[in-house]
Amino acid sequence: MKMYRTHNNGELRIENIDQKVKLCGWVQKARDLGGMTFIDLRDRYGITQLAFNETLDKDLSAKARKLNREWVIEVEGVVKERSSKNLKINTGEIEIEVEEFTVLNESKTPPFTIENETDGGEELRMNYRFLDLRRTPLQRNLMLRHRIGIETRKYLSGIDFLEIETPYLIKSTPEGARDFVVPSRMNQGDFYALPQSPQTFKQLLMVSGYDRYFQIVKCFRDEDLRADRQPEFTQIDCEMAFVEQEDVIMTFEGLIKHLFKSEKNINFDKDFPRITYTQAIQRFGSDKPDIRFGMEFNYIKELTNGFNFKIFDDAESVIAICVKGAADYSRKKIDSLTDWLKRPQIGAKGLIYVKCNEDGTYKSSVDKFYNQKCLSKWASYCEAKNGDLILVLSGNTISTQKQMNELRLKIAKDLSLYKDDEYSPVWVVDFPLLEKDEETGNFHAMHHPFTSPKPEDIGFLTSHPEKIRANAYDLAINGVEVGGGSIRIHDRDLQEKVFTCLGFSKEEAESQFGFLLNAFEYGAPPHGGIAFGFDRLCALMGNQDSIRDFIAFPKNNSGKDTMIDAPSRLNEEQKNELGLIVKQ
Amino acid sequence: MKMYRTHNNGELRIENIDQKVKLCGWVQKARDLGGMTFIDLRDRYGITQLAFNETLDKDLSAKARKLNREWVIEVEGVVKERSSKNLKINTGEIEIEVEEFTVLNESKTPPFTIENETDGGEELRMNYRFLDLRRTPLQRNLMLRHRIGIETRKYLSGIDFLEIETPYLIKSTPEGARDFVVPSRMNQGDFYALPQSPQTFKQLLMVSGYDRYFQIVKCFRDEDLRADRQPEFTQIDCEMAFVEQEDVIMTFEGLIKHLFKSEKNINFDKDFPRITYTQAIQRFGSDKPDIRFGMEFNYIKELTNGFNFKIFDDAESVIAICVKGAADYSRKKIDSLTDWLKRPQIGAKGLIYVKCNEDGTYKSSVDKFYNQKCLSKWASYCEAKNGDLILVLSGNTISTQKQMNELRLKIAKDLSLYKDDEYSPVWVVDFPLLEKDEETGNFHAMHHPFTSPKPEDIGFLTSHPEKIRANAYDLAINGVEVGGGSIRIHDRDLQEKVFTCLGFSKEEAESQFGFLLNAFEYGAPPHGGIAFGFDRLCALMGNQDSIRDFIAFPKNNSGKDTMIDAPSRLNEEQKNELGLIVKQ
């Protein structure tokens, strides 16, 4: 039996000196120093330096000089101590004095460099994803993802959760996001749908008595893709029976603490803070507030009224944030912030500022309307000190909160108000059960139609649906929604009432969710759960914004995999077998 | 905070006596014994007996007597020692003297009994899968599946394998089995396909340097369903770089040994035996031989020639097996075996027998043609002793081997020639690379088009493709194909030659697998792998034949989930958005 290698390229140390070894890997780079040729041999474990000495073996050195980037080679040699050590890498004290090597496969010159920072553009790297995946940063990401998966399973399995696979070929339930569908050949005219989440199945598993379920599972949504959305994505999907909100929150706070401990050696000693949805919107303008820094909202409408400043007088809300130590912001900087806020994505009308000068005076963009005394009241309300900058937006409350949320996040980023490796989790609780579509007047489920109202709010179902709070909760970390869940309805009558409130006819409810309503009549236990966005969680723990580089083979923004050319045309035979005609 | 329960129903012991506890669960059954009412409370952890004493609390007892099967209740009470203990269950020494209870949900009377042996038929149980899943045998199966998943990940992760998710929305490559396809809304007229396996992606991961990959992953095949095939099924999918066949075999033999040790406490001390494909067919008529018992094939054509028995004289092969101690098989039994063999599924023409009587004489169904001396030669060749039965089939070699394989397995089952909890793994190696379609004369890949020929056989590619042996291997346990894999091609030229041999035009190869051929030009390492049928492996380790009860929500033989009613019609809006028309 041949053996390709005795060690990997991250493994050899000073202790291995004089050992005979075999290594395999890719040629990262070659350096020719007169009589010596050095080659960095790379694999996912690290880099080991190969040395070829012309005086020892002229032919071998000549052969080595012909090796190019990304060729795959198999090497035999002896571990030697390096004369000039590189203490930045684990193998930096040794090198291999090569005695023999074989080219296992040659490589064309890659279309971009396989380095930490590459010269390849996005599109090129997607077309050659198999080469991009060779780069160390991507390898680190996928290894991190692997570890988080392993640790998640270890933790949940250790507290009696069972991983149970739910089906991928299910029934289409077209409310909410669009389903991807799969035509059935055996039952022509019928379609399966790919699951947007295993929601109803995990609820059935609770009815079946499985008690503590989880699954790391692919989900599918046929949405128009925004940046950093994927048509297929992965969830850590969980459900428990005989629990209340508090049980679910504490159980999964435990999971998140475990993951941060195991992966990043971060200890969260205290319980994660909690905030109600209403408070989160009020204080941060977001249901996933980034609480690593302050700059909370101040509502100063009452302080601004009656000074003939029409914009504020007409506004439903006037919201101010205090930027510490930013009174020296230049006019240019404030103008550029204003332009940024006016872009259609944000849609603010303008930005008012008040500089709290070091000498105790104020300089504002509304000096014409508000005197120093006025501005000092604002400053005092916002707890602004000399040297701080107050930024003010106004208008309709909901829009202004959203705009101010964007501004607050941008400034925090610009001023580096947080460290890269700092994590601030917060549970957002007491979400509204329903959202009113302002155009149609219809109600939509804020989480999904299976979410339980708070018992004390059930009375509002027929009178004031918008007032009902749900037993629903989200976990946000650093302003990123990492997970969300709820206690579910487990009573057929209540579920039917909620369906009615959401505009389902009795027939629609029965045809789409009859199996679940039916199951509720056979001893359904109280239950609830949560789902975490696995791609997002990995990106967060990897300190990156984009999820794409935590997915081995992602789709681009048009939902395409340009490397394999998917989606693509079917041949006629396939369409005939399915009985499908595609409209021109 | 309310707490539903302090313990589960499998947990309380004699040590817990006098503790105050809370339990939740389903009413399994109730017994009324005059002044005492006993209820078995069930959850997935076990059963705990609840006791209601009329003399202690008359109202509570009356309320308890109204509880019906499968109601969900929450109970508070004190652990007491039972007067009559049930040592068959873990909680059988104690019972709960109930002080208070709440009905969490009522239940209609289930359409079948929720017991180990149920009275519900297949169809009814599929319609009410959520109730069938409450039965202990199914819960045991899914818990076993969970454990095997956890242990697989633990083992592979422990030896540096990375679990990497590959995409579900890929490109259709319609050779081989049929793909399920997914119409694209954003790219109208184009379709994704669901993967039949992550084959090409795991090979790309090897090109990308990931070295040791695995994934427990759903795969999809749109085949006409035979019994116990599912349109979606789960694989343990694995791939390694810088390996030969021997490395892959030894690595995954380690995995299988680990799983049997951890789940069943079975130690395989020795290496698994290996047999070539040719030998397996020759000796057992199967490429997944059950080697728990002997009854190997004896080829006796030469001993039967020239006695005017036309059937044997005309046959390409005459194959005999020796059934130990079965000379007393009745005429009726042999007739029924003959009928069984003649069914179209097997298609034998008839069955010849030779009884080796205890007195040393022979009695056969061909006494007219073969005298005692002849028969004694057969017996001696088959190593049959007095008291044994020789069964003989004849005809075309391939068909006869297949028929004899069926007969051999049936007899072993009838005579219980193996124990239920006995496991005999065997590696079948040296598979042919190609199979010739006798009708069309075309070659098909025996495993798949990416399998590497043995280097010494590559010369046959253009001359005698049928002679090429592949670096391919299957693991069979107890006659069940548990897994299979191969060393892959990693060279563009060789891969193109194999595609040509399989009848691909250059254009077809390029359009379907261009990305892989392309990848082979950028430093593809030697690599190979294996995939295990996870559903099948679980069923095998659970000592059951059918995979269906190791899948939470399986499809029926028409590919339907009758509980949720999938597949089903789409609404017109969905079809319009996809630009699809279904032919009438």
Side-chain angles (χ1 to χ4, degrees):
Chain A
M1 179 191 168
K2 172 185 165 71
M3 188 174 41
Y4 275 103
R5 54 184 174 180
T6 56
H7 296 78
N8 65 49
N9 292 317
E11 205 172 357
L12 294 168
R13 299 284 183 279
I14 199 92
E15 298 82 53
N16 301 98
I17 276 177
D18 292 333
Q19 277 182 29
K20 187 138 184 164
V21 297
K22 288 186 77 172
L23 299 177
C24 288
W26 285 264
V27 173
Q28 174 81 6
K29 63 178 168 210
R31 274 156 299 145
D32 238 328
L33 306 178
M36 292 295 294
T37 302
F38 295 102
I39 284 175
D40 282 351
L41 191 66
R42 187 197 69 230
D43 61 19
R44 74 162 158 112
Y45 308 91
I47 282 179
T48 298
Q49 178 165 295
L50 310 178
F52 299 82
N53 188 335
E54 205 177 47
T55 49
L56 289 179
D57 190 333
K58 197 166 177 176
D59 291 349
L60 196 71
S61 277
K63 208 176 126 197
R65 275 196 294 271
K66 289 185 184 139
L67 291 173
N68 279 324
R69 275 207 291 143
E70 301 306 320
W71 287 29
V72 197
I73 60 173
E74 181 191 348
V75 167
E76 219 173 320
V78 177
V79 183
K80 297 286 179 192
E81 187 165 1
R82 276 205 215 178
S83 53
S84 89
K85 297 185 180 178
N86 174 0
L87 296 179
K88 283 189 213 147
I89 62 172
N90 290 332
T91 59
E93 295 194 85
I94 59 95
E95 66 189 9
I96 310 300
E97 194 177 277
V98 179
E99 295 174 343
E100 210 180 307
F101 76 90
T102 313
V103 174
L104 295 172
N105 220 338
E106 301 189 359
S107 173
K108 288 191 189 168
T109 303
F112 49 85
T113 53
I114 313 292
E115 306 274 356
N116 288 7
E117 299 293 331
T118 179
D119 56 358
E122 180 75 12
E123 206 181 314
L124 192 64
R125 287 188 293 124
M126 286 288 274
N127 286 337
Y128 289 86
R129 184 72 175 174
F130 56 88
L131 291 179
D132 205 20
L133 285 173
R134 266 189 210 161
R135 297 194 302 118
T136 305
L138 271 80
Q139 298 205 335
R140 267 195 216 121
N141 291 351
L142 294 190
M143 289 190 244
L144 174 132
R145 185 179 178 115
H146 163 78
R147 289 191 303 271
I148 296 180
I150 290 285
E151 289 298 329
T152 298
R153 289 187 162 99
K154 188 165 126 188
Y155 184 84
L156 292 177
S157 181
I159 52 173
D160 277 337
F161 278 79
L162 299 172
E163 184 160 29
I164 299 175
E165 294 169 59
T166 51
Y168 280 92
L169 296 173
I170 66 167
K171 183 191 175 75
S172 184
T173 53
E175 93 314 334
R178 262 186 228 95
D179 287 324
F180 281 106
V181 298
V182 181
S184 166
R185 180 182 54 85
M186 295 220 285
N187 307 281
Q188 205 157 309
D190 286 345
F191 292 75
Y192 302 97
L194 300 178
Q196 296 184 27
S197 90
Q199 183 62 34
T200 51
F201 289 98
K202 68 177 175 175
Q203 292 193 243
L204 289 178
L205 286 172
M206 294 306 108
V207 177
S208 300
Y210 288 82
D211 203 46
R212 294 185 154 211
Y213 144 94
F214 83 102
Q215 192 182 188
I216 301 186
V217 62
K218 275 279 174 80
C219 301
F220 304 85
R221 267 177 220 175
D222 185 12
E223 290 174 295
D224 297 317
L225 299 173
R226 282 182 267 150
D228 220 32
R229 281 267 184 112
Q230 290 282 321
E232 49 176 310
F233 56 96
T234 305
Q235 272 186 199
I236 307 175
D237 190 55
C238 310
E239 196 79 3
M240 306 170 77
F242 303 116
V243 290
E244 291 195 306
Q245 173 169 309
E246 188 65 23
D247 302 293
V248 181
I249 285 184
M250 292 314 291
T251 303
F252 291 96
E253 191 165 313
L255 169 64
I256 296 296
K257 285 180 175 175
H258 172 79
L259 295 179
F260 274 92
K261 175 69 189 164
S262 72
E263 182 58 36
K264 309 188 78 81
N265 201 24
I266 291 175
N267 288 299
F268 291 105
D269 299 325
K270 295 186 193 153
D271 286 351
F272 294 172
R274 299 187 196 177
I275 185 172
T276 65
Y277 172 84
T278 311
Q279 279 292 312
I281 298 294
Q282 186 77 5
R283 289 165 54 191
F284 303 99
S286 167
D287 61 0
K288 46 185 183 194
D290 190 339
I291 61 166
R292 283 176 295 181
F293 49 90
M295 285 205 294
E296 294 194 22
F297 293 5
N298 302 285
Y299 291 79
I300 60 168
K301 166 84 177 159
E302 291 192 6
L303 301 178
T304 65
N305 276 346
F307 292 86
N308 296 320
F309 185 50
K310 200 165 162 9
I311 294 178
F312 284 179
D313 287 350
D314 292 351
E316 188 185 358
S317 286
V318 179
I319 305 178
I321 57 172
C322 168
V323 189
K324 290 280 157 206
D328 57 356
Y329 258 39
S330 67
R331 181 69 206 213
K332 202 174 146 196
K333 211 159 178 179
I334 290 177
D335 283 349
S336 103
L337 273 183
T338 310
D339 292 343
W340 183 85
L341 282 164
K342 283 179 165 174
R343 289 175 317 142
Q345 299 95 307
I346 300 189
K349 292 273 165 32
L351 173 66
I352 306 296
Y353 69 85
V354 182
K355 292 182 174 176
C356 308
N357 296 323
E358 292 292 355
D359 64 3
T361 64
Y362 301 96
K363 167 79 194 110
S364 85
S365 51
V366 285
D367 282 349
K368 266 198 278 184
F369 303 95
Y370 301 100
N371 60 24
Q372 294 283 312
K373 196 177 157 200
C374 272
L375 297 176
S376 118
K377 280 190 191 158
W378 299 9
S380 143
Y381 190 85
C382 299
E383 296 180 21
K385 304 273 172 282
N386 294 356
D388 294 349
L389 172 70
I390 299 171
L391 296 174
V392 190
L393 293 172
S394 66
N396 156 298
T397 305
I398 293 174
S399 309
T400 309
Q401 285 167 332
K402 281 186 188 155
Q403 292 155 9
M404 191 53 106
N405 167 49
E406 299 287 347
L407 180 61
R408 174 178 177 269
L409 295 178
K410 181 172 172 52
I411 288 176
K413 191 167 189 184
D414 288 352
L415 297 179
S416 305
L417 296 188
Y418 45 83
K419 291 187 219 95
D420 255 358
D421 220 4
E422 181 186 351
Y423 294 91
S424 292
V426 56
W427 288 104
V428 182
V429 297
D430 295 356
F431 274 80
L433 185 70
L434 305 162
E435 243 176 341
K436 194 169 190 166
D437 183 321
E438 292 303 330
E439 277 178 45
T440 63
N442 294 338
F443 286 103
H444 295 299
M446 190 107 175
H447 273 72
H448 53 57
F450 314 108
T451 302
S452 175
K454 286 198 182 286
E456 60 270 33
D457 291 356
I458 288 180
F460 292 130
L461 251 178
T462 41
S463 58
H464 299 289
E466 70 284 358
K467 286 195 182 166
I468 305 170
R469 290 164 307 154
N471 273 322
Y473 32 82
D474 275 5
L475 178 65
I477 304 181
N478 297 359
V480 172
E481 184 197 323
V482 164
S486 65
I487 298 300
R488 327 298 183 184
I489 298 167
H490 66 283
D491 176 86
R492 181 176 178 127
D493 285 345
L494 181 57
Q495 185 67 70
E496 283 183 335
K497 276 182 195 138
V498 169
F499 279 142
T500 304
C501 189
L502 290 168
F504 282 79
S505 72
K506 239 189 157 55
E507 293 67 37
E508 284 168 341
E510 186 59 40
S511 99
Q512 287 181 34
F513 299 111
F515 61 96
L516 189 65
L517 293 169
N518 193 19
F520 285 170
E521 295 195 288
Y522 289 92
H527 61 285
I530 196 167
F532 294 94
F534 189 55
D535 310 299
R536 176 66 55 210
L537 182 64
C538 292
L540 179 80
M541 296 186 76
N543 291 321
Q544 288 174 45
D545 290 332
S546 168
I547 62 172
R548 197 172 287 176
D549 282 345
F550 291 81
I551 298 171
F553 300 100
K555 306 281 188 291
N556 73 11
N557 282 343
S558 319
K560 291 190 182 185
D561 183 331
T562 54
M563 177 186 64
I564 61 169
D565 183 29
S568 56
R569 302 282 148 174
L570 288 192
N571 65 36
E572 288 306 313
E573 194 188 333
Q574 284 177 291
K575 279 184 278 187
N576 284 338
E577 279 194 321
L578 295 168
L580 288 184
I581 298 168
V582 177
K583 280 188 227 165
Q584 295 308 321
Chain B
M1 178 190 167
K2 173 186 165 67
M3 188 175 40
Y4 275 103
R5 54 183 174 181
T6 57
H7 295 78
N8 65 49
N9 292 317
E11 202 170 0
L12 294 168
R13 298 283 182 279
I14 199 91
E15 298 81 52
N16 301 98
I17 275 176
D18 292 332
Q19 277 182 26
K20 187 139 186 166
V21 297
K22 286 186 78 172
L23 299 177
C24 287
W26 286 264
V27 174
Q28 174 80 6
K29 65 179 166 208
R31 275 155 299 145
D32 238 328
L33 307 177
M36 291 296 294
T37 301
F38 294 103
I39 283 174
D40 282 351
L41 191 66
R42 187 198 71 231
D43 62 18
R44 75 164 158 110
Y45 308 91
I47 281 178
T48 298
Q49 178 165 294
L50 310 178
F52 298 83
N53 188 335
E54 205 177 46
T55 50
L56 290 179
D57 191 333
K58 198 167 175 179
D59 291 347
L60 196 71
S61 277
K63 206 177 127 196
R65 277 196 294 272
K66 288 186 185 140
L67 291 173
N68 280 323
R69 275 206 291 140
E70 300 305 320
W71 286 29
V72 196
I73 60 174
E74 179 191 350
V75 167
E76 216 172 323
V78 178
V79 183
K80 296 288 178 190
E81 186 164 4
R82 275 204 215 180
S83 52
S84 87
K85 297 185 179 177
N86 174 1
L87 298 179
K88 282 188 213 146
I89 61 172
N90 289 334
T91 59
E93 295 193 85
I94 60 95
E95 65 188 11
I96 310 300
E97 194 177 275
V98 179
E99 296 175 344
E100 210 182 308
F101 76 89
T102 313
V103 174
L104 295 172
N105 220 338
E106 300 188 1
S107 173
K108 287 191 190 170
T109 304
F112 49 83
T113 54
I114 313 292
E115 307 273 356
N116 287 8
E117 298 293 330
T118 180
D119 55 357
E122 179 75 12
E123 206 180 312
L124 192 63
R125 287 189 292 124
M126 286 288 275
N127 286 337
Y128 289 86
R129 184 71 175 176
F130 56 86
L131 291 180
D132 205 21
L133 285 173
R134 266 189 208 163
R135 296 194 304 117
T136 306
L138 270 81
Q139 298 204 336
R140 269 197 213 118
N141 292 350
L142 293 190
M143 289 190 243
L144 174 133
R145 185 181 177 113
H146 162 78
R147 289 192 303 271
I148 296 180
I150 290 285
E151 288 298 327
T152 298
R153 289 187 161 98
K154 188 165 127 186
Y155 184 84
L156 292 177
S157 180
I159 52 174
D160 277 337
F161 278 79
L162 299 173
E163 184 160 28
I164 299 175
E165 293 169 61
T166 52
Y168 279 93
L169 296 172
I170 66 167
K171 183 189 174 78
S172 185
T173 52
E175 94 315 333
R178 260 186 228 94
D179 286 326
F180 281 105
V181 298
V182 180
S184 165
R185 180 181 55 84
M186 294 218 287
N187 306 281
Q188 205 156 308
D190 286 346
F191 291 75
Y192 302 97
L194 300 178
Q196 296 183 28
S197 89
Q199 183 62 35
T200 50
F201 289 97
K202 67 177 177 175
Q203 292 193 241
L204 289 178
L205 286 172
M206 294 306 108
V207 177
S208 299
Y210 288 82
D211 204 44
R212 295 184 154 211
Y213 143 94
F214 82 102
Q215 192 182 187
I216 301 186
V217 63
K218 275 279 174 77
C219 303
F220 303 85
R221 266 176 221 177
D222 185 12
E223 289 174 294
D224 297 317
L225 299 173
R226 283 183 266 150
D228 221 31
R229 281 269 184 109
Q230 290 281 322
E232 50 176 310
F233 55 97
T234 306
Q235 271 185 199
I236 307 174
D237 190 55
C238 311
E239 197 80 3
M240 305 170 77
F242 303 116
V243 290
E244 290 195 306
Q245 173 169 310
E246 188 64 23
D247 302 292
V248 181
I249 285 183
M250 291 316 290
T251 303
F252 291 97
E253 191 165 312
L255 169 65
I256 296 296
K257 284 179 176 175
H258 173 78
L259 294 180
F260 274 92
K261 174 70 189 161
S262 72
E263 182 59 36
K264 308 188 80 78
N265 202 24
I266 291 174
N267 288 298
F268 291 105
D269 299 325
K270 294 186 193 153
D271 285 352
F272 294 172
R274 299 188 196 177
I275 185 173
T276 65
Y277 172 84
T278 310
Q279 278 293 311
I281 299 292
Q282 186 78 3
R283 289 165 54 191
F284 303 98
S286 168
D287 61 0
K288 46 185 183 192
D290 190 340
I291 61 165
R292 282 175 296 179
F293 49 91
M295 287 205 294
E296 293 194 20
F297 293 4
N298 301 286
Y299 292 78
I300 61 169
K301 167 84 177 158
E302 291 193 6
L303 301 178
T304 65
N305 276 346
F307 292 86
N308 297 319
F309 185 50
K310 199 166 162 5
I311 294 177
F312 283 0
D313 286 351
D314 292 351
E316 188 184 356
S317 285
V318 180
I319 305 177
I321 58 172
C322 167
V323 189
K324 289 283 157 202
D328 58 355
Y329 258 40
S330 67
R331 179 70 208 211
K332 202 174 142 194
K333 210 159 178 179
I334 290 178
D335 284 349
S336 103
L337 274 183
T338 310
D339 291 343
W340 184 84
L341 282 164
K342 283 178 164 173
R343 290 174 316 140
Q345 297 94 308
I346 301 191
K349 293 273 164 30
L351 173 65
I352 306 296
Y353 70 84
V354 181
K355 293 180 174 178
C356 308
N357 295 324
E358 292 292 355
D359 64 3
T361 64
Y362 301 94
K363 166 78 193 110
S364 86
S365 51
V366 285
D367 283 350
K368 266 198 280 183
F369 302 95
Y370 300 100
N371 60 23
Q372 294 283 310
K373 196 178 157 197
C374 272
L375 297 177
S376 120
K377 281 190 190 157
W378 298 11
S380 144
Y381 190 84
C382 298
E383 296 181 21
K385 304 276 173 276
N386 294 355
D388 293 350
L389 172 69
I390 299 172
L391 296 174
V392 190
L393 293 173
S394 66
N396 155 297
T397 305
I398 292 174
S399 308
T400 309
Q401 285 167 332
K402 281 186 186 155
Q403 292 155 9
M404 191 52 105
N405 167 49
E406 299 286 347
L407 181 61
R408 174 178 176 269
L409 295 177
K410 179 170 172 54
I411 287 176
K413 192 168 189 182
D414 288 352
L415 297 179
S416 304
L417 296 187
Y418 46 82
K419 292 188 218 94
D420 255 359
D421 221 3
E422 182 187 349
Y423 293 91
S424 293
V426 56
W427 288 103
V428 182
V429 298
D430 295 357
F431 274 79
L433 184 71
L434 304 162
E435 244 177 340
K436 194 169 190 166
D437 184 321
E438 291 304 329
E439 277 178 46
T440 62
N442 294 339
F443 286 103
H444 295 298
M446 190 107 176
H447 273 73
H448 53 56
F450 314 107
T451 302
S452 174
K454 285 197 183 285
E456 60 269 34
D457 292 356
I458 288 179
F460 292 130
L461 250 179
T462 41
S463 58
H464 299 287
E466 70 283 358
K467 285 194 185 166
I468 305 170
R469 290 165 308 153
N471 272 324
Y473 33 82
D474 275 4
L475 179 65
I477 304 182
N478 298 359
V480 172
E481 184 197 322
V482 165
S486 64
I487 298 299
R488 327 298 184 185
I489 298 167
H490 65 283
D491 176 85
R492 181 175 179 128
D493 285 345
L494 181 57
Q495 185 67 70
E496 283 183 335
K497 277 183 193 139
V498 169
F499 279 142
T500 304
C501 190
L502 290 169
F504 283 78
S505 72
K506 240 188 154 57
E507 292 69 35
E508 283 167 341
E510 186 59 40
S511 100
Q512 286 180 35
F513 300 111
F515 61 95
L516 189 65
L517 292 169
N518 193 20
F520 286 170
E521 294 194 290
Y522 288 92
H527 61 286
I530 197 166
F532 295 93
F534 190 54
D535 310 297
R536 176 66 56 209
L537 182 65
C538 293
L540 179 81
M541 296 187 75
N543 292 319
Q544 287 173 46
D545 291 331
S546 167
I547 62 171
R548 198 174 286 176
D549 282 346
F550 290 81
I551 298 171
F553 299 100
K555 305 282 188 291
N556 71 12
N557 282 341
S558 319
K560 291 189 182 185
D561 182 331
T562 54
M563 177 185 65
I564 62 170
D565 183 29
S568 56
R569 301 283 147 173
L570 287 192
N571 65 37
E572 288 306 313
E573 194 189 331
Q574 283 178 291
K575 279 184 280 188
N576 283 338
E577 279 194 322
L578 295 168
L580 287 183
I581 297 168
V582 177
K583 282 188 224 164
Q584 297 306 321

